[in-house]
Amino acid sequence: MKKIFMIGGSGLVGSRVVELLSKNYIVDQFSLESGVDITDPTTLGPIRNDKEHELLIHMAAKADVDGCEADRLLGEDGSAYKINVLGTQNVLDACLPTNKKFIYISTDFVFDGENAPEGGYTEEDDCNPVNWYAQTKYLGEEHVRESSLPFIIARLAYPFRKDAFAVKKDFVHAIMDRLSTGQEIRAVTDHVMSPTYIDDIAFALDKLITSDSQGIYHIVGGQSLTPYEASLLIAERFGYDRSLISETTRAEYFSGKAPRPYNIALNNNKITELGLTMRSFSDAIHEVSPVIE
């Protein structure tokens, strides 16, 4: 079995990806718990000196959009920059001696959401991030593109799982928890997203590895919709009270928080042309387990 390294494999997305990829690969994980800190190059010796692993999947990031925005004034001294930009460069540098293929996990937020093309942004469209989280992730992308390593940049969007993740709920389970306990949902109507079932992300990464693909890929679901529309579909799927769901806007919901782009629907034709099916949100939520009372 091919050996791969994973950084950030214990989070919401990574833990499920590791579980599925481990059926076909030997996945060795690095984390703070194992003594690897991507902001400290001296801890990356196990990667730098390794000759057995052909590629590395870099999922580690500071992904809290509002927490990253609070770092903006700190610039390069803030944790968002240190993790998402400098940390990425450190890992790239550690992969250079053995020319490991580098898979960088990025985000749909690299687009500004203004004048989105019909069918969604493609991999060739220009990026223009509007918040600090997205800016730091995009700077990480630039470091990857400028390296001499073979690479894949995989942009994800609103990933969700079959079962709730104990450490952090994805947006689907957060909505389910509120509706299942009779709590109201204020759902945004002027933000368009492409939610993605995490199992499909794992299958896509497997396909990209086995096909020896390179470049940028949008690994996202096959349906774009607003959080309001998604909330209604969740209510319908699980029999929750739709009257608990009301409309709101980005300006109201995110008041005092990091700016969010409007329409960041991503086009996934490039990944589906490899023979993959990236399920629509309407289909994928039928894979999600109901809340256990």
Side-chain angles (χ1 to χ4, degrees):
M1 296 175 72
K2 180 180 290 188
K3 293 183 176 182
I4 62 177
F5 280 140
M6 172 81 79
I7 298 180
S10 60
L12 172 70
V13 178
S15 58
R16 179 59 176 162
V17 169
V18 168
E19 182 181 350
L20 292 172
L21 289 186
S22 293
K23 297 176 182 179
N24 299 321
Y25 306 91
I26 297 173
V27 183
D28 291 318
Q29 297 187 64
F30 287 124
S31 65
L32 289 172
E33 289 73 23
S34 65
V36 168
D37 178 356
I38 64 171
T39 67
D40 181 359
T42 65
T43 70
L44 299 175
I47 297 171
R48 188 178 299 108
N49 301 324
D50 168 81
K51 296 180 180 179
E52 296 183 358
H53 298 71
E54 298 179 29
L55 64 89
L56 180 145
I57 302 176
H58 181 43
M59 284 194 168
K62 181 171 182 177
D64 174 5
V65 176
D66 297 316
C68 287
E69 199 67 20
D71 282 352
R72 180 187 288 271
L73 292 177
L74 298 174
E76 296 184 9
D77 292 326
S79 60
Y81 193 94
K82 288 181 178 179
I83 295 169
N84 297 346
V85 184
L86 299 180
T88 297
Q89 184 62 63
N90 290 337
V91 181
L92 285 165
D93 291 342
C95 289
L96 278 173
T98 51
N99 199 45
K100 286 180 174 49
K101 189 170 188 176
F102 195 91
I103 300 181
Y104 176 74
I105 305 301
S106 192
T107 172
D108 54 340
F109 270 49
V110 296
F111 297 104
D112 62 16
E114 302 298 326
N115 303 311
E118 185 176 353
Y121 288 102
T122 71
E123 290 82 353
E124 287 73 41
D125 286 317
D126 292 335
C127 297
N128 184 34
V130 299
N131 56 51
W132 189 237
Y133 161 67
Q135 287 185 44
T136 59
K137 288 298 292 179
Y138 182 64
L139 288 171
E141 284 193 12
E142 289 189 323
H143 283 312
V144 174
R145 286 194 297 271
E146 291 167 0
S147 78
S148 62
L149 295 171
F151 72 85
I152 291 170
I153 293 172
R155 293 177 181 146
L156 313 185
Y158 289 88
F160 62 96
R161 301 167 61 112
K162 173 182 176 63
D163 299 304
F165 184 58
V167 179
K168 176 185 178 182
K169 290 185 176 66
D170 57 59
F171 84 98
V172 171
H173 285 93
I175 291 171
M176 290 171 63
D177 281 356
R178 289 188 65 84
L179 293 177
S180 68
T181 54
Q183 299 179 66
E184 293 184 355
I185 294 284
R186 297 279 287 165
V188 174
T189 59
D190 60 348
H191 175 65
V192 181
M193 58 185 182
S194 303
T196 315
Y197 189 48
I198 291 175
D199 287 22
D200 291 344
I201 294 172
F203 301 147
L205 289 172
D206 180 37
K207 184 66 174 181
L208 290 173
I209 293 169
T210 57
S211 62
D212 199 26
S213 299
Q214 294 189 44
I216 304 174
Y217 286 86
H218 289 169
I219 303 182
V220 299
Q223 179 182 11
S224 297
L225 70 174
T226 67
Y228 177 73
E229 292 167 332
S231 298
L232 292 177
L233 286 171
I234 292 168
E236 179 182 349
R237 158 72 176 94
F238 296 102
Y240 300 136
D241 184 357
R242 288 167 54 105
S243 69
L244 293 171
I245 304 167
S246 59
E247 301 180 15
T248 189
T249 64
R250 285 176 297 146
E252 179 182 3
Y253 190 85
F254 296 113
S255 176
K257 298 181 179 180
R260 263 67 169 182
Y262 165 46
N263 183 351
I264 48 174
L266 298 192
N267 183 303
N268 68 3
N269 286 349
K270 187 175 178 181
I271 191 73
T272 58
E273 285 171 359
L274 295 178
L276 288 159
T277 298
M278 301 299 294
R279 277 169 278 194
S280 68
F281 185 73
S282 300
D283 288 340
I285 57 172
H286 286 274
E287 301 292 331
V288 175
S289 301
V291 173
I292 299 175
E293 302 294 342

